[in-house]
Every structure is written in structure tokens, then in C-alpha cells.
Amino acid sequence: MSRNSSTWPLVLSVFILELGCSPGGAPNRTATPVLRPSILFVTLDTTRADAVGPDAEGVETPVFNALAARGRLFARAYTTVPETLPAHASMMTGLYPAGHGVHENARTLRADHEVLAERLQATGYRTAAFVSSFVLARRFGLGRGFATYDDIEAPERSARETTDRVIDYLKTPSTEPRLLWVHYFDAHAPYAPPEPFRTLFAKNPYLGEVAEVDQQLGRLLEAFQKDASGPVAILVAGDHGEGLGDHGELQHGNLAYEPTMRVPFVLVGPGVEPGVSRDPVSVRRIFHTILDLAGLDNPQSLRRTSAPEVVLGEAMRPFLGYGWQPQVMAVAGAQKVIFAGRNEVYDVVQDPGEVRDLSASVTPTRAIRTALQDYPVPAPGVAPAPAGGLSLDDEERRKLASLGYVSAGATPLIRKDAPRPVDMVGLFETIEKASGLFVREEYRAVIPLLEKIRAVDPQNLDATLRLATAYSSLGQDLQALSLFEKAKAIAPLSADVKLYLALHLARGAGWQEAGSMLEKTIEQMPERLPALEALARIREREGRSREAMALLRRIHRLRAPAATELVRLGQAAMNVGETTSAIEAFERARRAQGVDFRSDLELGVLYLADRRFEEARQSLDRVPAKHPEYAMALFKRAQVSVLLREPDQAARIERARRLADASTRELIARERLFVVGRPE
Ligand SMILES: [Zn+2]
């Protein structure tokens, strides 16, 4: 049953005086204050190791430098993935992507991976996070364990604005130690620093962003240290660097060279010996270090010096998205090996620019060879990580392969002609441009770029799928379907291909077929929002209101609801007679929409059913005379009038009768409140 003028009054008319119930109060929780440090963890997005710190060229970062002087500077810290979400997922779980399953942005960290904030919250820490990009919105799974998770639906928020919000938050004092994570996104492209850095860094706006972030970091540190009454620990780390043209890469994500893999990292806190550490370390160990700082002793903590390890990393986007060679990095001592179809070997201490590939003369160490051989390559677009991904704490006991990311023994699909990412740098700029246009839904403009990518690299799954979606969104179904066929041929098992095809069908006459496809997609990827959103619409169209409600609620656990969705939730709840839920949804929609709220009739009817006559009166009085169901509003208003014993009730009944339509005439004739007339 869909909402239209012939069926809707029926839904309204069945709402007769029901009683709702209200939920109980939340349980109390007490925490014992202990003298553990308050911990500030700051992530600097897109910040190269050589753009920050005392040795940085072309920019001053006095705040970071002062921290480095107070604490331990890790001069050779490596990210696990040169991409925001997977890198943060590693820092928050202590796992390589093979362990936590997030190899790219726009995936979701599965709920069965315990994250840092959950551990600290359980021991009485007051947890809060402030993130500055949509890429880290709570829907992607990093919000768990944070009592406050201040995220955004917009692409970017400035460091100044984020810092303002943190400072505001810190005005509420805490008797518990804090875990505060703050993420700054400014250094990410496009580079547009505010003044004075816009002028000062007119020739290098990227460094201007870095300088601005350093200044905001200063404001943040001041507020944090002023707030803390006990000891403090501070960690500042990059999530990945930026190519800036090195090795042919402008941004990040497609290659595994030093400019994008090596990040700044400084650690300040009780028991941390000041100085500079030159052993390679992975930022994933921030997880273990923070646990240790919080009193949860951990052998992988970086607070103490530990045995050198093989540091691993990966850049799988070209493999997962375009079908190119999977790319894994291993670093031990001065030696760094990048494996992508074949090995490149560098001495990154002698040759930090990685210009001399030593692979013809130097054999990688045994430890590096073993680590690379065992590094699990994900299966593109197929299954997410299995439940209970193992921790790399077990590294000493097990080989990396035992992480078992690749599900059910599936062999990763590497196409025979898969190019090495470094041989495809000529396409990077087009890919990055196309990606930006696609995300902004500029489909007409993106088509020629995607066609160009496909002309060079016809097996490129991302380009094929995006092209199909662009044609579909422009209503060019034949081109879209032909490209979906090609995408299916490239990656027969890809859940993404199925998802985008289903979304295409949902747009047109095949929408009912799309329903079962989306259900399967959701089974595989339970937190994929576009699938949940499209299926909710289909269930609404089919009149399957209970299922639609459940889907809308799932969506709203992943992100803040849009006002229009609250209206839809209210309507679905009303369709199945759930008065309390319906009232709650409509009330939230009204608060969000203000004067644009259009569901006063529904809300009035619901209040009446809930015997909240005064609120029913107010809502029904707001229904405008031009409302298509105005006759229903008059009828309901007359009922309320009798129940409230208003002096003009007779006139209201008369008016409802006079202006009755097919939906209300019969109801008025049978209404006992009206027959009895004025109650004594
Ligand atoms: Zn990032």
C-alpha cells in the first residue's frame, strides 16, 4: 500500500484512541577516578613526515617541534595504508588491514573488532572524538566506544572549526581521565590555507595547510593541558603522506613510496624517554601504546624500546579498484621492499627518494621475504574479514597468513595482464579528477574522463562501474546495462557490481527485482548505506512498512537521520499502528524542519489516538486549508473539540459535516461523540 489520496485516509481513520507507553530510564554507571593520564591523540591527515618537525623544509611547525623536544620522535613511522579510513582503522585496532578488513575508504570496520575507545571506556575513561572529514563518519565503524563522536556529513571541516568544538567540549570538566581523539583534515587536497598562510605559502599551499594545522594544534594542546588535572599523554601522528608529484603521484593511495607511507609521529607521556627513534615502526602500534598508557600493559607498546620488527604496509586500491597488481610494502632496518608483481628494493636510509632500485643486485632479507610471501592479499570486492580477525599480537607465534583475511581459501584474483601501479602513473591524474567529479555527482562531466581511462585500461573495474552508474543516473539505460555486463565479466564475484546494478534497476521499471538483489548485498555487507537506503524505498513502495521501518532504523544507527527520513519513518510506523514510534519520529522531524514540517495532520491524529488532546488540537490547527486531506483534519479536530469540551464544538462538528468528503462522510455519520453531542 503506498501513500496516495485514496488509501491514506484509511490509515488515518484507523487511528482511534490508542495508548502508548514510554521507555524506561537509562541505568546508572559509577566510575572510580584513578590517577591515569588523560590521553590526547591527534591525527594529521595527509601530512608527509618531511613536512613537519625540526627537519622540515620550507615550513615551520613550532608546536609539533616543541612536542618532539618534550617526547619521543619516531623519525621512521609508517602508515599501514596510504588512505584515511584504513590507516585510522589500524591505529584504532592495532591490526594491519589484513586483520581488520578495511583496505579502502568507504568500507565499514566490522563490529566484532574491538576498538581502542571501547577498551578505554570500559576502564572508566571519558572518551570523545572530533573528526574533520566525512571519510571518518561514524557509519564507517570508528565511533564505537566514544561517548562523544563529533563527525560530519560534509566532505571537510577546518582545523580551526574542529578545534573550536573541542575547546567548547572541554569546558565541561571531567573527573575521569580523558581519551580525546582529534582528526585534522586540512592538508588534504584541495590545498586552500586561510590567511596569513595563504599569502605566506602562495607558492606551496600544501605547506600552508600544514602550518595552519600546527597553529590549531597549539590551541588544542593549550586547552587540553589546561583541562587536565593529572598526568597527560599526547600522541600526534599522520595517517598517510602526500605524493606531491613524487614518483608521478600527486595525492595518495595508489603507490607505496615514502612520501605517502612515511608519516610524522611523536609520543609524549609518563615513562616515555625523550629523544629520536630511528627504527621503523608501524602506526598500528599506537593502539598498543595507548592501552599501555591507560594502564592496560601491552608488550607492543612503543613506550619502551622493543625488538626491531618488519613493518608492513599495503596500497591495494589499484588492485581492488582497477585490477592492477596488489602492492605490499615491507621495511626492516634500512631496507624497504615494495612488491607489486615484482620486487623493488631500496636502501631508504641512503636513498630516501627511492630513486635507485637495487633489486638486480640486492636480495631482500629473509625476514622481509617471509613477511611479503605471507602477507594476505584480499579478494577484490568479495567477502569482508571473517569474524574475530586475529590480532597481530600473535605475530611471533603465527605467520601473517594465518590472519586468514582471504575467506574460505579463495585465491585472490589477479588478472593475467595486471599492470604494475607504478607503470600506470600516466592515468593517475585522470583517475583522481574523475573520482572527484563522480563523488560530486557531476555525471555528464565525468563520462569523457572515465571513457578515457577505459580506453587505456579496459579491464578497470572502478572506471567501468562508475561509467555504468553515470549513464544510469542520466537515464541512458542501454549504455548503462552494457557497461554493467562488462563489469560483471571483469569481476563476477564483486559485491559492488551487484550493488550498483541493483541501484540501477531500483531507479527504473525493474525496481521490484532490485529488492531481492539488495537483500543479498546487505547480507554480504550489512552496513552498506546505499543498499539499505534503496531497499528501504522499495519496501515503502511495496507497502512493507515493518521492513521499511527496520531498514530506516538500521540506517539511522549508521548516520544521523535526514528530516525527510524521519517523516518516512513516522509514516511507516503509522501504517503498522505503532503510535508511540510514529509520534516520536514525526516530533523529531518537526523539530528538524520547523516551519517546513508538513505532517501536522498525521501528528494530530496520532496525538488524538494517544489521548494527548491538547497537543492534537495544536497540531490539527496547523493543518492548512489547502491540505488535500483537510476534510479529515476538520473531522479529527471536531473530535478533539468534543473531548476537550470546547465551547465551539457544535460549530466544529457542523463544519466537519459541511466540508466532508468521501473519506470522512461515513465516519462523521457513525461518530458517537458527535451523536451524543455536548457531554454533560
Ligand atoms: Zn587521510
Side-chain angles (χ1 to χ4, degrees), residues 32-41 70 116 120-121 123-127 174-180 224-225 227-235 267-272 288-297 301 303:
T32 332
V34 192
L35 204 65
R36 290 172 293 171
S38 272
I39 301 167
L40 172 65
F41 174 37
R70 268 169 74 187
L116 181 64
L120 264 66
Q121 191 177 41
T123 65
Y125 266 78
R126 173 158 305 185
T127 53
S174 172
T175 50
E176 302 158 324
R178 295 187 191 271
L179 169 67
L180 177 60
F224 176 73
Q225 293 178 132
D227 162 78
S229 51
V232 295
I234 298 160
L235 300 91
L267 167 63
V268 176
V272 177
H288 312 98
T289 307
I290 291 180
L291 288 184
D292 178 28
L293 286 164
L296 306 165
D297 189 37
S301 166
R303 192 142 61 141

Side-chain angles (χ1 to χ4, degrees), residues 174-450:
S174 172
T175 50
E176 302 158 324
R178 295 187 191 271
L179 169 67
L180 177 60
W181 167 36
V182 180
H183 162 251
Y184 289 137
F185 197 66
D186 304 51
H188 199 282
Y191 319 125
E195 292 296 2
F197 304 114
R198 184 189 303 264
T199 306
L200 287 170
F201 291 88
K203 289 209 175 102
N204 193 337
Y206 170 75
L207 289 180
E209 298 272 35
V210 170
E212 161 69 7
V213 169
D214 190 68
Q215 192 171 79
Q216 296 305 321
L217 179 63
R219 294 178 63 217
L220 173 66
L221 286 175
E222 195 187 321
F224 176 73
Q225 293 178 132
K226 206 171 98 191
D227 162 78
S229 51
V232 295
I234 298 160
L235 300 91
V236 181
D239 69 338
H240 53 77
E242 186 78 321
L244 300 177
D246 292 350
H247 304 277
E249 185 174 37
L250 285 172
Q251 296 183 24
H252 54 270
N254 289 321
L255 297 174
Y257 294 106
E258 299 284 276
T260 60
M261 297 305 289
R262 207 159 69 79
V263 292
F265 175 32
V266 66
L267 167 63
V268 176
V272 177
E273 200 185 314
V276 179
S277 171
R278 299 194 188 277
D279 283 332
V281 294
S282 170
V283 295
R284 75 182 177 87
R285 287 174 68 186
I286 285 170
F287 170 82
H288 312 98
T289 307
I290 291 180
L291 288 184
D292 178 28
L293 286 164
L296 306 165
D297 189 37
N298 195 293
Q300 293 200 63
S301 166
L302 291 169
R303 192 142 61 141
R304 293 168 296 276
T305 46
S306 53
E309 61 170 335
V310 178
V311 170
L312 295 166
E314 61 167 62
M316 293 292 180
R317 188 210 284 167
F319 169 61
L320 295 170
Y322 325 143
W324 302 350
Q325 290 286 350
Q327 202 165 220
V328 185
M329 169 205 89
V331 187
Q335 192 173 75
K336 171 171 169 184
V337 177
I338 299 170
F339 178 77
R342 68 169 181 81
N343 279 339
E344 289 164 67
V345 181
Y346 298 100
D347 180 332
V348 283
V349 173
Q350 298 293 321
D351 174 28
E354 293 157 294
V355 289
R356 288 185 299 277
D357 177 4
L358 308 171
S359 58
S361 56
V362 174
T363 309
T365 65
R366 175 185 288 275
I368 283 185
R369 287 204 312 272
T370 309
L372 286 175
Q373 263 161 26
D374 292 344
Y375 194 90
V377 170
V382 187
L390 299 175
S391 158
L392 279 202
D393 288 358
D394 302 332
E395 206 172 345
E396 293 83 6
R397 291 189 289 114
R398 297 166 197 240
K399 290 183 166 186
L400 280 167
S402 68
L403 286 172
Y405 173 75
V406 180
S407 62
T411 327
L413 228 70
I414 302 171
R415 66 189 224 219
K416 282 198 178 61
D417 59 340
R420 306 183 64 232
V422 71
D423 295 333
M424 302 296 276
V425 292
L427 270 188
F428 285 4
E429 209 178 330
T430 312
I431 288 175
E432 274 163 9
K433 258 191 209 150
S435 179
L437 290 170
F438 186 84
V439 170
R440 291 194 298 275
E441 301 182 0
E442 294 179 31
Y443 297 123
R444 236 170 264 287
V446 81
I447 284 174
L449 297 184
L450 292 169

Side-chain angles (χ1 to χ4, degrees), residues 427-588:
L427 270 188
F428 285 4
E429 209 178 330
T430 312
I431 288 175
E432 274 163 9
K433 258 191 209 150
S435 179
L437 290 170
F438 186 84
V439 170
R440 291 194 298 275
E441 301 182 0
E442 294 179 31
Y443 297 123
R444 236 170 264 287
V446 81
I447 284 174
L449 297 184
L450 292 169
E451 297 278 18
K452 188 175 150 194
I453 296 165
R454 276 188 42 79
V456 178
D457 187 28
Q459 296 296 305
N460 190 311
L461 180 62
D462 248 28
T464 308
L465 213 43
R466 286 182 162 180
L467 196 53
T469 302
Y471 280 124
S472 161
S473 302
L474 294 171
Q476 301 184 32
D477 284 5
L478 286 180
Q479 286 98 322
L481 278 176
S482 134
L483 283 153
F484 277 120
E485 285 305 319
K486 287 183 178 129
K488 252 198 260 182
I490 295 170
L493 298 175
S494 166
D496 275 350
V497 175
K498 286 174 198 152
L499 168 61
Y500 286 101
L501 178 58
L503 294 177
H504 166 71
L505 294 173
R507 283 184 199 109
W511 63 274
Q512 274 170 308
E513 192 192 335
S516 57
M517 291 175 69
L518 289 167
E519 262 181 351
K520 285 193 196 110
T521 308
I522 292 167
E523 257 171 51
Q524 237 180 334
M525 302 185 290
E527 291 173 330
R528 206 64 194 273
L529 272 169
L532 293 166
E533 287 161 350
L535 188 58
R537 289 226 176 256
I538 289 170
R539 293 300 177 244
E540 285 169 320
R541 280 173 85 174
E542 293 171 333
R544 293 159 74 171
S545 300
R546 239 173 243 291
E547 288 164 69
M549 277 171 73
L551 287 160
L552 285 167
R553 286 186 172 135
R554 272 175 80 172
I555 292 166
H556 298 163
R557 279 195 294 274
L558 295 169
R559 63 156 168 75
T564 50
E565 281 172 348
L566 290 168
V567 170
R568 287 163 51 201
L569 184 60
Q571 281 164 350
M574 200 167 181
N575 287 343
V576 298
E578 290 193 11
T579 311
T580 308
S581 300
I583 288 177
E584 194 204 326
F586 281 122
E587 282 180 342
R588 287 176 70 193

Side-chain angles (χ1 to χ4, degrees), residues 45-46 83-84 188 239-240:
D45 212 288
T46 322
E83 211 165 288
T84 307
H188 199 282
D239 69 338
H240 53 77

